[in-house]
Amino acid sequence: HERNVRFAQQVLHPYRERVSRLVGRQGRIVSLIGDGHLVVFERLLCGVRFALALHGSLHDDPIAIPRECSGHLRCKIGIHVGDPEIDPDQPDDISGREVDFAARVCGYARKEQTLLSESAAAQARDLELVGIAIGGPRQTRQALHGFGNVWLYWIEPDHFH
């Protein structure tokens, strides 16, 4: 119990504060699940900028994790576009196939990586994002549960090339 409290104070709270600050007014944190966040943005560009800013922030100003875990906190992000279902009983909550798909994309990412679904990557290419490289495609080796094999793309700042 004491270890969980220490982890929450040293890692989870600072991480949640950082995510909240970087989401700012451009998006909305819908829910928290452990150390994960479900965040929505009105525009894909805002989500892409958030993802790169969060990775950059964790690199430039790391959040140390307890000694028994070693190292610093790293995150993985999945981005998908679509129209999620709004819960009629809880209008601030979303669910449905689009949310499930985004979660599966995130689950397939490696630490310190942002993956885009094929539809998000297509929109990102149309935006001609300056300073951002889109890599891929990479077909999933295993079918995403409930969705089959899909093509995923990754984004990173151009200076990584």
Side-chain angles (χ1 to χ4, degrees):
H1 174 71
E2 188 176 310
R3 217 168 59 175
N4 290 343
V5 170
R6 188 173 61 244
F7 182 82
Q9 291 172 339
Q10 294 176 351
V11 179
L12 201 53
H13 296 309
Y15 178 62
R16 286 181 175 169
E17 288 172 8
R18 188 169 306 185
V19 168
S20 180
R21 180 175 38 85
L22 291 172
V23 167
R25 297 174 188 255
Q26 299 296 312
R28 179 173 65 88
I29 298 172
V30 175
S31 62
L32 304 171
I33 304 153
D35 61 353
H37 294 74
L38 173 58
V39 181
V40 294
F41 295 91
E42 288 293 321
R43 299 176 40 222
L44 173 65
L45 179 59
C46 296
V48 167
R49 286 182 176 157
F50 161 78
L52 295 176
L54 181 57
H55 286 304
S57 172
L58 291 172
H59 180 268
D60 296 344
D61 183 17
I63 296 174
I65 56 177
R67 226 181 338 199
E68 59 269 15
C69 301
S70 77
H72 65 278
L73 184 67
R74 297 176 294 169
C75 71
K76 53 188 187 173
I77 298 172
I79 298 177
H80 179 56
V81 295
D83 293 319
E85 297 171 22
I86 297 174
D87 185 336
D89 297 327
Q90 298 178 1
D92 289 338
D93 198 8
I94 59 174
S95 62
R97 189 168 172 81
E98 306 297 345
V99 173
D100 292 345
F101 191 84
R104 301 292 192 291
V105 170
C106 182
Y108 208 81
R110 296 186 309 268
K111 289 187 178 173
E112 299 180 321
Q113 183 180 50
T114 296
L115 286 182
L116 303 175
S117 66
E118 191 166 15
S119 56
Q123 285 188 27
R125 279 192 298 276
D126 287 347
L127 292 173
E128 298 179 8
L129 303 171
V130 175
I132 298 172
I134 301 172
R138 180 180 84 192
Q139 189 168 26
T140 56
R141 288 185 298 276
Q142 298 174 331
L144 293 185
H145 182 72
F147 297 97
N149 284 356
V150 299
W151 293 100
L152 299 176
Y153 301 77
W154 59 92
I155 56 168
E156 58 190 23
D158 259 345
H159 66 267
F160 283 170
H161 291 278

